[in-house]
Amino acid sequence: MSRYFFGVAPPTAMEARLEVFRGRWGHPHHDVEPHVTVKAPFVWNQEPALVLGPVRMACNGLLPFPVRLGAPARFPDAGVLFLSVESEGLPLLHRAVVEALAGLVEQDRRGHEGEGYHPHLTLAVSRFGIDPAGLAAMEREAALELAGLEPFTVRSLRCYCRNGGRDRWEPLCDLPLG
C-alpha cells in the first residue's frame, strides 16, 4: 500500500535550520522533512503517474509565489505546535491540487481541506512523544530562534511517498509551477 501527500519544502538552508531545531527536542514529526502540507495524505495503489498528471497540470497553471514563515502557534487542541505561514499563493495552490484530485482520491476526513485549510509548518505534535511542558518550552524557544526567517519563493510542489513498512516519508518528485 502506498500513501502520498503534497507539500511545499522550504529552501535547503532553512530546512536544515528547522531540522536542527526540531532534532534538539528529539521530535522527528512523522519522520518527514520540514514542509507545509498542501494536500493531506491519501492512499493510492495505482501507477503514480495517474495521480501526478492532474497535479502537474494544476501546477502548470500557477506562477511561483512568496511564502513567509511566522510566529509559532498551536491549534485549539494545543497538541500541535507550528510556525504560522503567510502566503496568498498557498491557498490557491491547495485549491488547485484538491480540485485536480477530486474524484481520484478521498478528501481529508479531518476537514483540513477546502475552507478548513490552514497552511502551517509543524514543529511538534504531542502524540509523537513530546509532553505539554516540552511543547511549551519548544514554543518559547521557537519564538526566539525562528523569528525573522527570510521569506522564500515557492517554485514547485513536492510529492511525498510512504510505501508499505517504510518508516519515513520520502520525496518522490517536484512538480514545477508555471
Side-chain angles (χ1 to χ4, degrees):
M1 174 170 73
S2 294
R3 298 184 73 214
Y4 299 88
F5 79 89
F6 290 95
V8 169
T12 305
M14 186 181 296
E15 179 184 323
R17 184 173 173 186
L18 292 166
E19 285 281 38
V20 167
F21 179 83
R22 292 192 318 181
R24 278 202 335 261
W25 296 91
H27 186 73
H29 177 61
H30 301 291
D31 291 325
V32 66
E33 67 189 18
H35 67 279
V36 178
T37 300
V38 173
K39 167 68 176 113
F42 57 92
V43 175
W44 184 256
N45 289 319
Q46 298 177 44
E47 191 63 35
L50 296 174
V51 77
L52 291 173
V55 176
R56 182 175 282 112
M57 294 289 290
C59 289
N60 285 340
L62 298 170
L63 295 175
F65 56 87
V67 168
R68 178 182 290 277
L69 299 176
R74 294 194 216 183
F75 287 118
D77 69 4
V80 177
L81 173 64
F82 61 87
L83 291 179
S84 58
V85 174
E86 300 168 21
S87 174
E88 292 180 14
L90 271 169
L92 299 174
L93 178 58
H94 167 74
R95 189 174 319 120
V97 171
V98 169
E99 288 174 4
L101 294 175
L104 291 175
V105 303
E106 285 187 28
Q107 272 195 303
D108 181 62
R109 293 181 182 170
R110 299 167 297 171
H112 297 163
E113 294 182 353
E115 294 299 316
Y117 180 63
H118 185 271
H120 62 281
L121 190 142
T122 301
L123 294 174
V125 180
S126 61
R127 73 175 189 260
F128 294 113
I130 187 167
D131 63 28
L135 204 62
M138 190 179 189
E139 184 174 9
R140 286 190 300 275
E141 286 193 24
L144 297 173
E145 275 187 52
L146 302 177
L149 291 172
E150 290 293 317
F152 61 93
T153 300
V154 173
R155 299 185 189 287
S156 64
L157 177 69
R158 183 162 290 165
C159 179
Y160 294 87
C161 180
R162 190 175 202 158
N163 290 320
R166 262 203 243 153
D167 290 336
R168 183 165 175 83
W169 287 97
E170 297 292 341
L172 179 67
C173 64
D174 289 334
L175 305 172
L177 301 182

